[in-house]
Amino acid sequence: MSASRALALDHLTAVDATPGELLDLAAGAGCQAVSLFLRPLPVLSDMPAFDLVGDAAARAAFRRRRDALGLRVDLAYPFTLAGSTDPETLVPALAAAAEVGAAGVNVLVYDRDAGRRVERLARLCALAADHGLSTVV
């Protein structure tokens, strides 16, 4: 017996795509989901300008396109915890991730202080859960 597996197109695979274009590419490739950036990363110079965190109209358009194509959002990112990151500052991005239908968020942890790293990651996980999101580290 073979189990069916859902495929997701990751935004890193099509780094030059807007979120809407990523949905179109995923549907065209036969994927059932996407994992996407909510904002471009400065280190990825090919990423176009978009802001799913600060732009409610962009989130609404993304949801409409996602629904029209019958796709899911597996993960949203980036959620980065460095030594100076206050997890509370990530609440708007968590809310946006939930609004676009993400199942979870991808967290990158770059804090060298083990105690602070555990404390802040636990707080971010709790905040994510408050928004109905799972956490992948």
Side-chain angles (χ1 to χ4, degrees):
M1 174 188 299
S2 95
S4 170
R5 293 186 186 220
L7 294 176
L9 180 63
D10 194 280
H11 215 153
L12 284 172
T13 304
V15 73
D16 59 343
T18 65
E21 291 167 342
L22 184 69
L23 291 170
D24 291 335
L25 291 168
C31 295
Q32 292 76 43
V34 297
S35 291
L36 80 151
F37 284 96
L38 296 172
R39 293 180 173 139
L41 280 180
V43 297
L44 298 173
S45 60
D46 288 342
M47 289 195 95
F50 60 89
D51 183 4
L52 291 176
V53 176
D55 187 341
R59 288 191 305 274
F62 179 87
R63 284 192 318 273
R64 284 191 302 275
R65 188 73 185 140
R66 180 205 64 206
D67 292 347
L69 294 170
L71 295 173
R72 294 185 323 273
V73 179
D74 282 348
L75 290 173
Y77 44 80
F79 289 84
T80 304
L81 287 176
S84 62
T85 307
D86 176 356
E88 302 292 333
T89 65
L90 300 174
V91 168
L94 291 168
E99 191 176 334
V100 299
V105 294
N106 186 19
V107 180
L108 304 174
V109 183
Y110 296 106
D111 190 342
R112 294 180 187 265
D113 181 292
R116 183 178 57 214
R117 182 173 56 233
V118 169
E119 176 186 319
R120 290 187 180 167
L121 179 58
R123 180 63 185 139
L124 180 56
C125 290
L127 291 168
D130 289 346
H131 288 85
L133 300 163
S134 64
T135 307
V136 176
V137 181

